[in-house]
Amino acid sequence: MTAATITTPLGQILRSWRRSAPGPLWLVVPLVLIVAIPVADHFLPPDIHLAHLLIVAPAVTSVVAGPRLTALIGGLAVASLIVAGAERGVLTTENVLVEFGSLAALSALLVIFSLLRDRLWLELLRARSVSDATQSVVLRPLPDRAGPVSIASEYRSAEADTRIGGDLYAVARASDSTRLVIGDVRGKGLSSISDTAIMLGAFRAAAHRQSPLPELVAYLEGAVRWGLAEFSESSGSEADVGERFVTAVVVDIPDNEPVVHVINCGHPPPLLLRNATATALNVPAPALPLGLGGLVDDSYVQATFPFAYGDRLLLYTDGVSETRDGQGTFYPLAERAAAWTDQAPGPLVQKITADLKAYAAGPLNDDMAMIVVQRDETPGSPSTPPRQQVPHHDRHHPDAAADGVMHSVGDRGPTHGPGRPHPHPSHPAGAGNNWRLAPKTAE
């Protein structure tokens, strides 16, 4: 990724703003007016008077400078008017006195305007700094690497000047696997940050535990449902609690097995990128979005797919796949991603993001999140099987379907090796694990 730094120090912002302001050359305009007008008045006919143009000097200064410099230029403009009036001998006339009062009053107002503007600007910078820090805590940048996988990501909020919205992602390390979640909260922009925080907090609290993936997702369901209900009660919006939910894909990538375990809760399926192809990892038993699990009494089902060394997994939200062009056609994500399967995660994310912007008919009007995960060889690891010993499409594998995709059905958690269930205190080895074969589906 390309994850841009979310927090920006206040001093750095101020220095940047000061550097972007016009240089000393902009002072030429007000100073030339202040000097030239009295000189011109001396040579012009008595019926032509330019002193009223002196107000331009403090006005221009107040736009690009602070209150002190505005006050200085305003004072010089008043002095220039006095000089011009004295040269003509009309300093005490009613016309010059009115000009003098108007110029002094307007200069004072411009100084006040400049002072208030700078104060509000500083308050805005402080608020922005606090907002950036808060958003960085909620949506942390993903690491470049977690265990044997390298990671790249991209995030865009639908609302301008915000770095977080209704889409979310996170990564956590267990003792022998890497777990990721990508999700989409109902709604978008700043209004959905509370739901995003609830989901991410629940994932970070539980993902590092050694519980099987179905148990992790069950925990997320309970935490999200409880958190959304509690927030609705505290905010007085209980009426819409049943309409708030989070679609999500949760994946578990074992360190020493060439597979990926997936549970899909109403989210667009991940894409497996391999050999110029992009295959949608459609699970045989998708679950309801998180927050709606209480509507049915059903256990979560994980599906297992081959994920060999060098393969890439693309996880995304509907802000990517549902972007439309000028004719209303959805972005062909699988087709475009298949053309770049030879790219490393970072360049791949950059290519898809740039292509998405070019494809869209206008600005992206929805939150967008994307993660690319690549399984890498682990040098010197004796437990890492060579790539050639784990074929992608081995029809003779005892637990492989005709197309080489393995699907595990049940709530017993991830397996350690094809057909060998992970021993769990509540599930004796080999008990209750039912392997079902299902064909993979290309998007």
Side-chain angles (χ1 to χ4, degrees):
M1 167 166 150
T2 261
T5 302
I6 293 183
T7 56
T8 305
L10 181 61
Q12 182 179 348
I13 296 178
L14 283 172
R15 287 191 297 270
S16 175
W17 178 68
R18 291 302 184 188
R19 284 195 300 267
S20 64
L25 288 177
W26 64 265
L27 277 173
V28 172
V29 175
L31 291 178
V32 166
L33 287 174
I34 290 172
V35 173
I37 285 177
V39 175
D41 267 1
H42 179 74
F43 296 100
L44 291 174
D47 58 333
I48 299 178
H49 190 46
L50 301 179
H52 56 279
L53 295 178
L54 286 169
I55 190 57
V56 175
V60 169
T61 306
S62 67
V63 173
V64 294
R68 293 183 179 180
L69 199 51
T70 301
L72 175 61
I73 295 299
L76 292 177
V78 170
S80 179
L81 176 62
I82 294 175
V83 171
E87 284 180 345
R88 293 195 170 197
V90 293
L91 183 59
T92 57
T93 62
E94 181 178 350
N95 186 37
V96 173
L97 290 176
V98 170
E99 288 180 351
F100 177 83
S102 300
L103 180 58
L106 286 174
S107 297
L109 289 175
L110 289 172
V111 170
I112 295 173
F113 161 78
S114 181
L115 180 64
L116 293 176
R117 182 201 59 203
D118 281 8
R119 184 174 299 174
L120 291 174
W121 176 250
L122 289 174
E123 291 178 1
L124 176 62
L125 291 180
R126 294 190 188 100
R128 182 63 181 272
S129 179
V130 172
S131 174
D132 288 349
T134 302
Q135 293 180 46
S136 69
V137 172
V138 175
L139 188 69
R140 303 170 188 169
L142 299 187
D144 295 332
R145 189 171 187 83
V149 298
S150 53
I151 303 171
S153 59
E154 181 69 26
Y155 193 99
R156 298 294 172 93
S157 175
E159 295 190 15
D161 300 325
T162 60
R163 293 174 172 84
I164 185 173
D167 287 358
L168 58 94
Y169 52 50
V171 61
R173 278 289 297 166
S175 63
D176 58 353
S177 68
T178 300
R179 291 177 168 180
L180 298 102
V181 63
I182 189 166
D184 187 357
V185 173
R186 181 180 177 270
K188 61 183 179 180
L190 292 173
S191 61
S192 58
I193 289 182
S194 62
D195 299 352
T196 300
I198 291 170
M199 174 66 181
L200 290 175
F203 177 80
R204 290 174 182 139
H208 65 280
R209 301 174 184 171
Q210 303 309 308
S211 56
L213 197 61
E215 292 184 15
L216 169 61
V217 179
Y219 174 84
L220 293 179
E221 162 61 32
V224 168
R225 193 174 355 135
W226 175 83
L228 294 181
E230 183 185 48
F231 183 82
S232 297
E233 291 176 3
S234 62
S235 62
S237 57
E238 299 181 35
D240 69 339
V241 66
E243 300 177 1
R244 300 171 66 184
F245 53 83
V246 182
T247 67
V249 167
V250 185
V251 303
D252 183 89
I253 304 173
D255 290 352
N256 298 314
E257 292 182 80
V259 297
V260 57
H261 306 298
V262 180
I263 293 182
N264 193 324
C265 301
H267 198 78
L271 294 177
L272 179 64
L273 308 180
R274 174 196 299 155
N275 298 331
T277 62
T279 305
L281 302 186
N282 291 303
V283 301
L288 289 176
L290 299 174
L292 302 180
L295 300 178
V296 295
D297 184 14
D298 191 16
S299 59
Y300 289 95
V301 177
Q302 76 174 21
T304 301
F305 302 89
F307 188 51
Y309 301 100
D311 288 351
R312 296 164 184 82
L313 192 66
L314 172 60
L315 301 99
Y316 57 94
T317 60
D318 58 8
V320 177
S321 58
E322 296 183 2
T323 295
R324 299 173 184 263
D325 62 7
Q327 287 71 44
T329 304
F330 287 128
Y331 179 70
L333 177 60
E335 175 186 337
R336 301 296 179 91
W340 300 317
T341 56
D342 60 335
Q343 297 288 322
L348 178 57
V349 164
Q350 295 173 6
K351 282 182 176 294
I352 295 176
T353 302
D355 190 52
L356 192 68
K357 291 179 182 178
Y359 184 88
L364 300 179
N365 57 5
D366 195 4
D367 300 323
M368 181 270 284
M370 181 170 39
I371 306 174
V372 173
V373 182
Q374 175 178 302
R375 182 184 284 279
D376 298 324
E377 294 279 357
T378 306
S381 175
S383 60
T384 300
R387 178 168 184 166
Q388 61 270 22
Q389 296 179 6
V390 188
H392 296 304
H393 302 285
D394 186 358
R395 298 180 182 271
H396 304 290
H397 197 287
D399 294 305
D403 59 359
V405 177
M406 300 175 291
H407 299 280
S408 63
V409 179
D411 58 352
R412 306 306 187 200
T415 61
H416 284 232
R420 295 194 300 275
H422 174 71
H424 190 270
S426 61
H427 303 296
N433 282 273
N434 175 28
W435 287 86
R436 185 171 67 198
L437 305 181
K440 67 182 179 181
T441 304
E443 183 173 297

